[in-house]
Amino acid sequence: MNTVNQLKMEFSSRPENVAFARVAVAAFAAQLDFTLNDLEEIKVAVSEAVANAIIHGYGNSPDGIVRVGAVITDRMLEVRVEDDGRGIADVKRALQPSFSTDPDRMGLGFVFMQSFMDRVQVESAAGKGTRVIMSKVPECSGAEAAAARAGH
Amino acid sequence: MNTVNQLKMEFSSRPENVAFARVAVAAFAAQLDFTLNDLEEIKVAVSEAVANAIIHGYGNSPDGIVRVGAVITDRMLEVRVEDDGRGIADVKRALQPSFSTDPDRMGLGFVFMQSFMDRVQVESAAGKGTRVIMSKVPECSGAEAAAARAGH
Amino acid sequence: VGEIRRFLRDDSPVKVSRSIKETAYRIQQARERLTGKLGREPAVGEVAAELGIPREEVVTALEAAQSPASIYETLHQ
Ligand SMILES: Nc1ncnc2c1ncn2[C@@H]1O[C@H](COP(=O)(O)OP(=O)(O)O)[C@@H](O)[C@H]1O
Ligand SMILES: Nc1ncnc2c1ncn2[C@@H]1O[C@H](COP(=O)(O)OP(=O)(O)O)[C@@H](O)[C@H]1O
Ligand SMILES: [Mg+2]
Ligand SMILES: [Mg+2]
């Protein structure tokens, strides 16, 4: 079985949409056998990526559009968060723990994404917008865990 | 203040996405001062429209795309549910209570939409897909209710 | 990153602290309390403020409470 369920969303770069995007992606992801803890982690990762698009990508202007895509295949969730904002000149540096271009921020967004998702890829360049692609596979759970316990 | 917050979603015409769309639209609508009861009504209306797109529009094939848009202005939620499916030849007849082209169904979907939303408009033609546009204004509540009581 | 992950898992404020059903129950209680106090149905923002949770989380908790057998049970805490 290699079914694919697809979701694409686009919304205004308004801060109130961070919470919306978080619960929407979690509601979609809940179709896979994620644990509660997994879903919480996905919510944090999505919040961080969407907040970055709004705050850094669009400099808090509400006129930008944030695109969030989610794909569910048999065993995996992939989430994309994209903006057409100012982009990141040095992606490697941006990914460093506690690096931030804003002295008031903690610079831990990418660290959270990397800790909570299995894989995180960042595509960006100055003036070219940013795309964050993250994926996560449910921990051994449900039927599978039962089967594992039963020694199958 | 006439701010606009916009959401556009596209997803596969799979039955599991009815529940997803319902929660996503209600979560987005929660930015307005709807009561919990209003939000329940919005969920039912969205469920019915999305279910129609999947069941009738695409004849339960999972390969179609359902588009759901939501716009929040200062005082109002507008929701659009669109499919590129088989369309409705006679919209007026389809809107009649208990009319259904499927003898196993109750034909109450449009009745629910019309009773739970303030306004429902259906644009469709045979072979041309279907678009349902619904809007709802929060009942007098919050600041406004307080102002009303204070006699403003 | 492995260590941070462990740290966040063990100590995160995000950690699952309350059951979904409990949150849904608290929402219903807040709703009744506010209805009494305000003399009308509270708006979702008022319920959220009363409980100190985001508006969106009120929506997902209620979905869970309504269809306890559904996948949305796993959605909210
Ligand atoms: N979507 C984006 N557009 C532009 N710059 C970004 C984007 N996302 C991240 N960045 C850059 O990467 C840095 C690190 O991001 P992050 O780890 O989330 O920390 P913080 O948001 O606290 O600054 C940000 O300070 C910013 O310079
Ligand atoms: N998106 C759609 N595409 C094609 N036909 C539709 C669509 N939505 C509704 N219809 C038609 O309108 C009829 C009435 O819809 P509804 O009131 O929801 O009742 P039911 O779904 O129980 O049949 C359906 O039986 C169907 O023939
Ligand atoms: Mg950040
Ligand atoms: Mg119907």
Side-chain angles (χ1 to χ4, degrees), chain C residues 55-69:
Chain C
R55 292 164 175 239
E56 292 79 4
E57 304 283 349
V58 172
V59 173
T60 51
L62 286 179
E63 176 79 9
Q66 255 178 4
S67 41

Side-chain angles (χ1 to χ4, degrees), chain A residues 47-49 51-52 55-56 100 105 107-110 113:
Chain A
S47 294
E48 293 295 333
N52 279 354
I55 298 167
H56 303 299
S100 178
R105 300 188 56 85
L108 293 176
F110 282 128
M113 291 181 238

Side-chain angles (χ1 to χ4, degrees), chain A residues 14 46 85 93 98 113 128 137 147:
Chain A
R14 297 178 164 274
V46 170
R93 194 182 54 167
S98 80
M113 291 181 238
K128 299 275 183 204
V137 176

Side-chain angles (χ1 to χ4, degrees), chain B residues 34-54:
Chain B
F34 283 115
T35 63
L36 301 185
N37 195 48
D38 283 335
L39 292 175
E40 279 316 304
E41 295 183 344
I42 292 166
K43 282 204 238 172
V44 174
V46 170
S47 294
E48 292 296 332
V50 172
N52 278 356
I54 296 172

Side-chain angles (χ1 to χ4, degrees), chain A residues 63-84:
Chain A
D63 305 323
I65 293 290
V66 181
R67 289 184 298 280
V68 175
V71 178
I72 287 178
T73 55
D74 195 12
R75 289 278 305 131
M76 194 178 76
L77 171 76
E78 186 180 281
V79 181
R80 282 164 191 250
V81 176
E82 292 175 8
D83 65 70
D84 304 313

Side-chain angles (χ1 to χ4, degrees), chain B residues 140 143-152:
Chain B
C140 185
E144 222 173 324
R149 275 195 306 277
H152 294 289

Side-chain angles (χ1 to χ4, degrees), chain A residues 15-84:
Chain A
E16 55 267 41
N17 289 335
V18 175
F20 162 73
R22 176 174 65 212
V23 303
V25 173
F28 189 74
Q31 296 171 6
L32 278 174
D33 276 332
F34 283 114
T35 62
L36 284 180
N37 196 50
D38 282 336
L39 290 174
E40 273 317 301
E41 295 184 345
I42 291 165
K43 283 194 202 171
V44 174
V46 170
S47 294
E48 293 295 333
V50 172
N52 279 354
I54 296 172
I55 298 167
H56 303 299
Y58 294 116
N60 285 309
S61 145
D63 305 323
I65 293 290
V66 181
R67 289 184 298 280
V68 175
V71 178
I72 287 178
T73 55
D74 195 12
R75 289 278 305 131
M76 194 178 76
L77 171 76
E78 186 180 281
V79 181
R80 282 164 191 250
V81 176
E82 292 175 8
D83 65 70
D84 304 313

